[in-house]
Amino acid sequence: MTGTDRGIRTVEDVLALLDGLFAPGADRWTEGGADWWDGFYGDRDRPVPFFVPKPDENLVSYAARGLIKGGGRALDLGCGPGRNTLHLASLGYEVDGVDLSATALRWAEERARETGTAGVRFRRGNAFAPGTVEGPYDLVYDSGCFHHLPPHRRVSYLALLDRVLAPGGTFALTAFAAGEGGMGSERPDADLYRAGALEGGLAYTDADLRAVFADLTPLEVRRMRAEPADSPRFGESFLWTALFRREP
């Protein structure tokens, strides 16, 4: 008689099992996805819209309207080459930028040196793994990480926010928008497991984002404003922007 595999005992065991239902090449969210991201960021001359050294237009808008205050601690989740990390530091935040890609973080560190930006710390690793980041943070910002997670890893994402977002703190993200002019897969969650692929990322509606983050108070959910090439801000209309507050 052969042995059986009956090792499922915890929620993390279940999440890891579900991770394995996707083809290895689909992984963008675990340590196993780091090589893919290193390759993605390895060619800095690629015509990728968000390679530009500009902050997201919504992030600039939040500060201008006093929706985020600066002067506390901020986490830039999936920070890539650090364009939003550096902007948050300019607002007075002490910022931790976290990413799976060592290649992206080297680029971010170069940008920080070139601009003379202080108050930033870059860390390589899986932000959802305990010990990678330590809260509390007054602001958690995510520009393009959430939509690369498979459905079951929303559980990990919400657990991270619960662990590190300070009472009264704010959480903001950009994510692929479903509908006309949007990007990302609009297939039902269950279909993604049958296909074993995420099709480049998941698209969300306004209602989806409000439902996923229902434990937080929505302050603003809208399409990102498209910005012209000569703008000092980054903006693409195929993205949602959303800002939430955790009640004290």
Side-chain angles (χ1 to χ4, degrees):
M1 179 181 295
T2 60
T4 58
D5 181 2
R6 300 288 184 266
I8 302 297
R9 296 184 61 251
T10 69
V11 171
E12 280 304 318
D13 291 336
V14 174
L15 295 175
L17 175 68
L18 293 172
D19 285 341
L21 297 182
F22 290 90
D27 185 358
R28 305 287 186 273
W29 65 94
T30 74
E31 289 285 351
D35 287 346
W36 190 92
W37 286 113
D38 281 340
F40 180 79
Y41 287 112
D43 181 1
R44 300 183 185 184
D45 295 324
R46 294 175 64 190
V48 177
F50 54 85
F51 277 11
V52 295
K54 304 176 182 181
D56 289 338
E57 65 83 7
N58 53 298
L59 192 57
V60 175
S61 175
Y62 298 153
R65 290 180 286 153
L67 297 176
I68 59 174
K69 303 295 185 181
R73 295 188 69 214
L75 172 63
D76 189 2
L77 191 60
C79 66
R83 58 191 182 84
N84 289 307
T85 318
L86 301 187
H87 184 70
L88 289 168
S90 77
L91 297 177
Y93 285 102
E94 178 185 339
V95 195
D96 288 335
V98 180
D99 203 280
L100 287 172
S101 172
T103 301
L105 294 181
R106 284 193 294 271
W107 191 1
E109 288 166 350
E110 288 175 24
R111 284 177 167 176
R113 288 193 297 271
E114 290 167 358
T115 57
T117 303
V120 297
R121 177 171 55 178
F122 294 106
R123 295 183 177 184
R124 199 206 72 79
N126 180 356
F128 307 112
T132 303
V133 294
E134 298 292 340
Y137 291 100
D138 303 286
L139 170 67
V140 175
Y141 190 65
D142 169 359
S143 185
C145 176
F146 176 71
H147 59 221
H148 286 297
L149 300 179
H152 62 279
R153 282 296 173 180
R154 294 180 201 131
V155 175
S156 304
Y157 197 100
L158 293 172
L160 172 68
L161 290 180
D162 187 60
R163 188 169 70 248
V164 305
L165 184 60
T170 48
F171 161 65
L173 83 162
T174 70
F176 287 152
E180 184 177 355
M183 282 189 66
S185 174
E186 298 187 27
R187 296 175 67 175
D189 285 350
D191 285 357
L192 301 171
Y193 292 93
R194 298 185 183 103
L198 297 182
E199 302 177 349
L202 307 187
Y204 289 86
T205 66
D206 177 317
D208 291 334
L209 294 177
R210 293 175 186 272
V212 171
F213 301 106
D215 290 340
L216 303 174
T217 300
L219 301 179
E220 180 176 83
V221 182
R222 62 169 172 83
R223 286 272 186 152
M224 179 179 264
R225 298 185 182 94
E227 294 284 334
D230 60 352
S231 171
R233 300 171 296 276
F234 169 83
E236 295 285 355
S237 61
F238 58 73
L239 296 166
W240 281 115
T241 70
L243 179 67
F244 298 87
R245 182 180 63 236
R246 184 176 188 176
E247 294 304 321

